[in-house]
Amino acid sequence: QVHLVESGGDSVQTGGSLRLSCAVSDYPYKTGCMAWFRQVPGKEREGVAFIDSDGGSRYPNSVKGRFTASVDNAQTTLSLQMNSLKPEDSGTYYCAADPNPRLRDYGYKWIPESDFRYWGQGTQVTVSS
């Protein structure tokens, strides 16, 4: 059974950095996409980083240039380096994975959360001003 477990969430001040990790176990697939989503109370979960098996990556403008996602070759660890953090980056961060999505198949559209089968339990990030 596939397991995704996030870690690294913390409270930081504006301008600080955090590195989130997602330990991926029993994931037998070599294709598809891994991603980071974040959610704040009362709002829908939004994707903040997508990285697929074609080597493609995508970030929304709100985090582009500040966030960088990476995955090791064995696909056992998905990371999210977050720099120059802002209060609006606060939220619960979830990692997600699925063997099917490829960024090229979505054109300029974001891969919706419904297209990801496997999810972690979330880790909290709080950025104070």
Side-chain angles (χ1 to χ4, degrees):
Q1 187 174 359
V2 177
H3 285 283
L4 280 68
V5 180
E6 302 94 337
S7 62
D10 205 345
S11 297
V12 297
Q13 294 199 335
T14 298
S17 297
L18 279 176
R19 187 175 181 86
L20 304 183
S21 293
C22 174
V24 183
S25 59
D26 299 318
Y27 191 74
Y29 311 105
K30 298 299 181 184
T31 60
C33 188
M34 292 186 172
W36 288 95
F37 287 76
R38 71 181 174 202
Q39 188 170 29
V40 296
K43 291 189 176 182
E44 293 185 355
R45 197 153 30 182
E46 62 168 338
V48 296
F50 300 86
I51 184 167
D52 73 8
S53 54
D54 294 331
S57 60
R58 188 174 295 174
Y59 307 88
N61 288 336
S62 59
V63 307
K64 191 177 294 183
R66 300 188 298 119
F67 288 14
T68 303
S70 60
V71 59
D72 66 347
N73 289 337
Q75 296 193 113
T76 58
T77 303
L78 172 67
S79 301
L80 183 67
Q81 179 66 42
M82 305 187 294
N83 299 325
S84 302
L85 284 163
K86 305 175 181 180
E88 51 264 42
D89 294 321
S90 297
T92 303
Y93 282 70
Y94 300 88
C95 59
D98 194 280
N100 293 314
R102 304 282 186 91
L103 289 170
R104 66 178 184 223
D105 296 332
Y106 291 79
Y108 292 102
K109 296 181 180 179
W110 300 108
I111 304 175
E113 61 174 292
S114 57
D115 284 6
F116 288 90
R117 189 182 321 172
Y118 304 107
W119 290 84
Q121 82 292 345
T123 187
Q124 182 67 36
V125 172
T126 303
V127 185
S128 57
S129 57

